[in-house]
Amino acid sequence: MSDSIENGVTGCEAVVAAADYPVFVVTTRAGDELGGCLVGFTSQVSIDPVRFLVGLSKTNRTFAIAARASRLTVHLLGSEQTALAALFGGETGDDTDKFARCAWNPGPGEVPVLSEAAGWFSGAIIQRHDFGDHVGVVLAPDSGTARPSATRTLRMHAVQDLRPGHQA
């Protein structure tokens, strides 16, 4: 059976849109250079040991920094944090110092931890996989913190109209 297209949307795209995944902000550091972006392609990919996959767009400045970095920090956003999502998803680090416009502290490996995030974890980059227009970065999480589980997370539908700083 083929993936039919209706109104320009494939069955896969329609199912993924209906799933309404959470979005995250990923930060990294290579030397003195900081990077951060909004990401929608993420998943835990192993339970024991815990492994987490982040998809980074090759056109994104954060991708170029992450290619030289040894770790990433993944931030969960609460449903009310659309401004933070817009900063990291609608601005590009080529033009804007995103970290001058939000509160953060150095975390593990001096990678920025966003103070207002609903939760975060950080991990060493252990693998990279080319998936086409994105590269999958596999992390071995080793530290982090989260608000109570009742936190409502920011989902893809809430940022679908956000104009990205870079096209994927």
Side-chain angles (χ1 to χ4, degrees):
M1 181 173 235
S2 67
D3 188 24
S4 64
I5 298 176
E6 186 174 315
N7 297 325
V9 177
T10 67
C12 175
E13 291 167 329
V15 169
V16 170
D20 198 22
Y21 293 117
V23 293
F24 297 86
V25 170
V26 173
T27 58
T28 193
R29 173 183 218 117
D32 291 335
E33 201 169 9
L34 303 178
C37 63
L38 186 70
V39 296
F41 301 149
T42 61
S43 182
Q44 183 174 339
V45 293
S46 178
I47 297 170
D48 187 16
V50 173
R51 297 291 184 255
F52 195 83
L53 176 72
V54 174
L56 293 175
S57 170
K58 291 178 181 179
T59 64
N60 193 305
R61 181 175 180 272
T62 300
F63 167 76
I65 297 168
R68 301 186 316 273
S70 61
R71 69 186 304 119
L72 298 177
T73 298
V74 178
H75 302 82
L76 181 67
L77 301 181
S79 60
E80 74 287 356
Q81 294 182 297
T82 56
L84 198 55
L87 174 62
F88 281 90
E91 301 288 337
T92 173
D94 297 330
D95 304 325
T96 302
D97 181 353
K98 299 175 193 180
F99 297 97
R101 296 178 52 195
C102 67
W104 65 278
N105 294 298
E110 301 299 307
V111 173
V113 172
L114 304 178
S115 303
E116 296 180 24
W120 64 272
F121 63 86
S122 187
I125 297 171
I126 59 170
Q127 294 177 359
R128 291 176 173 91
H129 300 276
D130 190 328
F131 293 139
D133 60 2
H134 282 65
V135 168
V137 180
V138 180
L139 306 178
D142 56 23
S143 55
T145 188
R147 290 185 191 164
S149 61
T151 298
R152 295 189 62 213
T153 59
L154 188 63
R155 316 279 303 173
M156 188 66 76
H157 80 276
V159 298
Q160 68 187 5
D161 294 330
L162 183 65
R163 185 170 170 240
H166 279 282
Q167 295 299 317

